[in-house]
């Protein structure tokens, strides 16, 4: 009965996320259609393909962390969990993606502590690497970014240093003690951390190409534009993540992207790029989720197989219990 209730809740969450996705597009329908009329379908298709690839690569980073914590998943299972749970970021509150991810991972016998830890590490690495990318690419290419967002750049080395396994192990252990959960049995190693960071940086490069293609489509040019576009999106992502209430960082992300791109694009073009990027990446999320639903759970999950739970993990305790006790906000997608 409890399993049926959780699956029903998940279906309702997906439907709610789809409703918010539809609303965000319909609410800006006129601006979106104007933006798309200024771009070729080939450019939009290329930007979409690169965006889908970026989401997939970031999934690999999360999967690497989860495996390092002691719960390796097949590519199929990891993709399905990540793609469907990411729809939760479109629902206000930002906690729903984590709830869905923990419950779906539980079908593969992944303890809630490991799901929570891997997600927290994926969020930290994407944010730290995003700040690092922005700090490397923007100070030399964007005066607007230096003036308005200079205070974010010094955080990059601090956050990267905080990804060291010793610091991560201590932080996760402290959080789990505070919410009265068992400690992690498999601390993340330096090798696992570096591999996950590698996937994350590759994802940032792909999202940079996604933004650059849109910039070129509206008249942008110059040798430095690829670096500026990559840094602009990275900075916009971090700015959107810091706005906890807005679903998917809507508003804050577009504002940051527009500020950075305004000096290098024709008048009105930065807004077009910001709107097009939002819609294209929303479609990418929906395509990934649709593909994940078509894949199904796989034979291991249906048979109740998968990774064995940790020694302190009760078999069917809902993940929301940990959240009620104080789980922090979760992952923000691109």
């Amino acid at each position: 009965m409890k399993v049926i209730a959780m699956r029903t809740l998940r279906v309702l969450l997906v439907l709610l996320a789809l409703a918010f996705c539809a609303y965000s597009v319909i609410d800006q329908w006129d601006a979106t259609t104007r933006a798309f009329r200024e771009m070729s379908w080939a450019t939009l298709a290329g930007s979409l393909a690169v965006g889908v690839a970026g989401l997939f690569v970031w999934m690999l980073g999360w999967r690497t962390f989860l495996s390092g914590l002691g719960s390796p998943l097949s590519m199929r299972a990891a993709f399905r969990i990540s793609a469907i749970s990411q729809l939760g970021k479109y629902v206000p509150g930002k906690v729903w993606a984590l709830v869905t991810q923990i419950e779906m991972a539980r079908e593969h016998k992944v303890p809630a502590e490991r799901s929570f830890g891997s997600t927290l590490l994926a969020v930290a690495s994407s944010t730290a690497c995003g700040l690092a990318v922005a700090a490397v690419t923007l100070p030399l290419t964007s005066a607007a970014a230096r003036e308005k967002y200079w205070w974010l750049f010094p955080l990059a080395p601090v956050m990267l240093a905080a990804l060291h396994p010793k610091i991560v192990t201590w932080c996760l252990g402290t959080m789990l003690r505070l919410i009265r959960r068992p400690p992690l049995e498999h601390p993340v190693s330096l090798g696992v951390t570096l591999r996950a960071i590698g996937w994350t940086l590759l994802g940032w490069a792909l999202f940079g190409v996604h933004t650059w293609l849109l910039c070129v489509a509206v008249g942008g040019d110059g040798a430095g534009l690829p670096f500026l576009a990559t840094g602009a999106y990275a900075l916009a992502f971090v700015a959107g993540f810091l706005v906890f209430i807005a679903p998917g960082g809507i508003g804050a992300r577009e504002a940051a992207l527009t500020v950075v791109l305004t000096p290098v694009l024709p008048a009105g073009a930065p807004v077009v790029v910001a709107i097009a990027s939002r819609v294209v990446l929303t479609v990418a999320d929906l395509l990934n989720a649709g593909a994940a639903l078509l894949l199904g759970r796989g034979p291991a999950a249906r048979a109740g197989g998968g990774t064995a739970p940790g020694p302190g993990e009760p078999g069917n305790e809902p993940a929301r219990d940990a959240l009620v006790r104080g789980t922090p906000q979760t992952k923000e997608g691109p």
Side-chain angles (χ1 to χ4, degrees):
M1 183 65 70
K2 189 178 294 185
V3 173
I4 295 175
M6 291 308 300
R7 288 179 181 171
T8 301
L9 179 62
R10 186 192 309 161
V11 171
L12 291 176
L13 177 61
V14 170
L15 292 176
L16 184 61
L18 291 175
F20 275 104
C21 286
Y23 174 78
S24 66
V25 173
I26 294 172
D27 187 52
Q28 302 185 70
W29 183 255
D30 292 338
T32 300
T33 53
R34 284 197 303 270
F36 282 5
R37 279 198 298 266
E38 296 185 26
M39 300 179 180
S40 69
W41 286 108
T43 299
L44 290 172
S47 182
L48 174 62
V50 176
V52 169
L55 293 171
F56 183 81
V57 165
W58 270 11
M59 179 276 295
L60 294 178
W62 166 73
R63 178 174 176 256
T64 299
F65 277 127
L66 186 61
S67 178
L69 290 174
S71 291
L73 287 178
S74 68
M75 191 71 72
R76 173 178 179 165
F79 173 73
R80 184 174 185 274
I81 293 169
S82 178
I84 295 177
S85 66
Q86 279 305 291
L87 292 179
K89 70 188 180 187
Y90 292 99
V91 179
K94 300 196 182 205
V95 74
W96 305 110
L98 177 59
V99 174
T100 308
Q101 192 173 74
I102 289 177
E103 288 301 329
M104 291 186 68
R106 195 183 295 276
E107 294 178 357
H108 297 268
K109 305 303 180 184
V110 177
E113 293 82 23
R114 296 178 192 170
S115 295
F116 169 66
S118 62
T119 300
L120 195 66
L121 287 170
V123 170
S125 63
S126 62
T127 304
C129 291
L131 281 177
V133 168
V136 168
T137 57
L138 292 182
L140 298 178
T141 57
S142 174
R146 289 197 305 270
E147 293 172 3
K148 190 172 181 63
Y149 296 102
W150 62 268
W151 53 276
L152 278 174
F153 299 146
L155 293 177
V158 176
M159 293 193 66
L160 286 173
L163 293 176
H164 190 279
K166 289 186 177 180
I167 298 176
V168 165
T169 299
W170 180 83
C171 290
L172 288 178
T174 301
M175 288 183 182
L176 291 172
R177 282 197 301 272
L178 289 175
I179 61 176
R180 299 179 182 178
R181 301 292 298 179
L184 293 171
E185 316 96 292
H186 302 277
V188 176
S189 67
L190 181 59
V192 167
T193 302
L194 292 177
R195 286 197 298 274
I197 287 176
W199 286 121
T200 304
L201 289 174
L202 178 57
W204 278 122
L206 290 168
F207 289 123
V209 174
H210 153 83
T211 310
W212 171 69
L213 287 172
L214 297 179
C215 289
V216 171
V218 294
D221 59 14
L225 186 60
F227 300 98
L228 179 65
T230 301
Y233 185 82
L235 183 65
F237 173 90
V238 174
F241 176 75
L242 294 177
V243 180
F244 293 118
I245 298 177
I250 191 168
R253 184 188 298 179
E254 285 75 17
L257 201 58
T258 301
V259 166
V260 178
L261 295 178
T262 292
V264 298
L265 295 182
V271 175
V272 171
V273 171
I275 293 173
S277 176
R278 166 69 65 178
V279 174
V280 167
L281 290 179
T282 298
V283 172
D285 276 324
L286 293 174
L287 287 176
N288 275 347
L293 289 171
L294 290 176
L295 282 175
R297 288 189 298 154
R302 286 193 296 267
T307 306
E313 176 70 9
N316 292 307
E317 181 180 347
R320 64 176 180 272
D321 293 348
L323 295 168
V324 169
R325 297 188 186 104
T327 300
Q329 307 243 340
T330 188
K331 163 180 189 179
E332 175 75 18

